[in-house]
């Protein structure tokens, strides 16, 4: 069963690599001899699916290849996500001092679209989100992870956006390993970020875009500082700080994250 799981994972990676190499409309299947068959519209007739590109991999070889792929995959993941701080022009006055949720959503949107993010665009989009939140929620300050997911779903029209509870850092790493972005609501002062204005925000939101097994750290885009692009927090630190909005006692909020798929 373990071999089957590893094989499927490895095959997924091979197919993803094929797609990244502009092999459009990839078809694949497994044969009794453990051959992975790939067919692309650029390489074969779509109607007959002839002229397959065939990779023959015997089980014992596949185990070795997949084990290597899993090992390399698990060592470090860093998803490309455009960065903005919540104060793109350096002013931390209101409303920008409260724009961590809006900035996180803007970064997630540009991750989905695969387009760069300029300060002018970030500021405009955060202001649009603020207006939407004021109309729908009656406020823009301190939105929960469910409310933030609603913004991506309804204002931006994204599918592939959901929230889930997590039991530990492994659950977060698992989402990242599949190329999914994570948005995390946290008790900001528990992060111990040296670049926050002391004592730091009571409630905060940031993007988690990768991890490093060697250093046991999550890689984040933290909008709470201009130095937040790729800012790292230890696994234990980020998970301990992970708490959804819970008025009255934020440090007792649920350990719930938002998961954003890349989309097509």
């Amino acid at each position: 069963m373990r071999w089957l799981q590893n094989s499927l994972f490895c095959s997924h990676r091979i197919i993803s690599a094929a797609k990244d190499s502009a092999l459009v409309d990839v078809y694949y299947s497994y044969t009794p001899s453990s051959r992975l068959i790939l067919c692309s519209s650029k390489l074969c007739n779509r109607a007959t699916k002839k002229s397959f590109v065939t990779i023959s991999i015997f089980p014992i070889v596949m185990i070795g290849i997949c084990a290597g792929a899993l090992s390399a995959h698990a060592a470090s993941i860093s998803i490309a996500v455009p960065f903005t701080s919540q104060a793109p022009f350096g002013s931390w006055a209101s409303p920008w001092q409260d724009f961590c949720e809006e900035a996180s959503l803007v970064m997630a949107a540009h991750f989905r679209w695969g387009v760069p993010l300029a300060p002018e665009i970030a500021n405009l989009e955060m202001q649009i989100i603020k207006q939407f939140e004021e109309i729908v929620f009656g406020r823009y300050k301190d939105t929960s992870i469910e409310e933030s997911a609603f913004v991506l779903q309804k204002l931006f029209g994204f599918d592939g956006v959901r929230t889930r509870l997590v039991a530990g850092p492994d659950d977060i790493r698992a989402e990242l390993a599949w190329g999914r972005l994570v948005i995390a609501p946290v008790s900001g002062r528990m992060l111990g970020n040296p670049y926050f204005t002391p004592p730091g925000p009571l409630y905060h939101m940031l993007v988690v875009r990768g991890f490093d097994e060697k250093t046991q750290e999550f890689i984040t885009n933290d909008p709470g500082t201009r130095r937040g692009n790729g800012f790292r927090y230890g696994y234990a630190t980020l998970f301990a700080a992970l708490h959804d909005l819970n008025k009255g006692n934020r440090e007792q909020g649920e350990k719930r994250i938002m998961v954003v798929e890349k989309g097509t």
Side-chain angles (χ1 to χ4, degrees):
M1 184 62 182
R2 181 67 177 172
W3 171 83
L4 177 60
Q5 292 173 341
N6 288 354
S7 299
L8 292 175
F9 183 90
C10 182
S11 300
H12 169 79
R13 301 298 297 171
I14 292 170
I15 291 159
S16 294
K19 288 181 178 178
D20 290 341
S21 300
L23 300 182
V24 183
D25 297 324
V26 175
Y27 303 92
Y28 62 99
S29 63
Y30 298 93
T31 69
S33 59
S34 297
R35 291 182 298 173
L36 175 65
I37 298 176
L38 304 181
C39 177
S40 143
S41 61
K42 289 189 176 181
L43 299 177
C44 68
N45 184 305
R46 290 189 62 178
T48 61
K49 306 229 178 14
K50 293 181 180 178
S51 304
F52 286 88
V53 178
T54 304
I55 304 174
S56 298
I57 308 175
F58 290 101
I60 190 168
V61 177
M62 182 177 282
I63 292 172
I65 293 174
C66 292
L70 282 170
S71 176
H73 180 73
S76 179
I77 293 289
S78 183
I79 301 170
V81 181
F83 174 76
T84 183
S85 80
Q86 63 194 72
F89 295 113
S91 172
W92 292 86
S94 183
W96 296 279
Q97 65 182 357
D98 299 305
F99 267 4
C100 59
E101 298 97 327
E102 290 78 5
S104 295
L105 297 180
V106 166
M107 287 188 275
H110 283 256
F111 158 75
R112 280 288 295 257
W113 293 327
V115 297
L117 182 56
E120 295 81 3
I121 297 299
N123 189 58
L124 174 62
E125 291 175 351
M126 288 190 291
Q127 296 286 356
I128 292 172
I129 293 171
K130 173 180 178 288
Q131 292 179 29
F132 178 83
E133 290 168 335
E134 288 173 330
I135 292 170
V136 176
F137 307 135
R139 71 188 195 288
Y140 74 92
K141 294 182 181 179
D142 292 350
T143 52
S144 71
I145 199 66
E146 290 283 2
E147 290 170 328
S148 296
F150 182 87
V151 173
L152 285 185
Q153 292 163 344
K154 301 304 181 182
L155 178 60
F156 288 86
F158 292 159
D159 55 9
V161 176
R162 57 185 169 85
T163 71
R164 58 161 293 189
L165 292 171
V166 291
D170 284 352
D171 289 342
I172 300 173
R173 292 201 300 272
E175 297 292 353
L176 295 167
W178 285 105
R180 300 168 186 146
L181 202 64
V182 170
I183 298 180
V186 294
S187 178
R189 295 179 182 179
M190 295 179 68
L191 292 173
N193 190 313
Y195 300 117
F196 288 169
T197 301
L202 286 170
Y203 181 65
H204 189 50
M205 197 169 285
L206 52 80
V207 172
V208 186
R209 63 177 180 85
F211 62 84
D212 187 333
E213 278 289 280
K214 184 176 181 180
T215 61
Q216 297 283 286
E217 292 173 321
F218 284 113
I219 303 168
T220 75
N221 275 7
D222 190 332
T225 167
R226 61 184 177 85
R227 300 179 179 88
N229 189 4
F231 194 91
R232 294 178 173 226
Y233 292 106
Y235 288 165
T237 297
L238 184 63
F239 185 73
L242 182 64
H243 293 290
D244 196 10
L245 183 66
N246 181 32
K247 294 183 177 179
N249 191 347
R250 287 177 172 83
E251 294 182 8
Q252 296 302 314
E254 288 186 317
K255 291 189 177 295
R256 182 177 292 275
I257 61 172
M258 186 196 312
V259 179
V260 183
E261 297 184 9
K262 178 64 174 178
T264 56

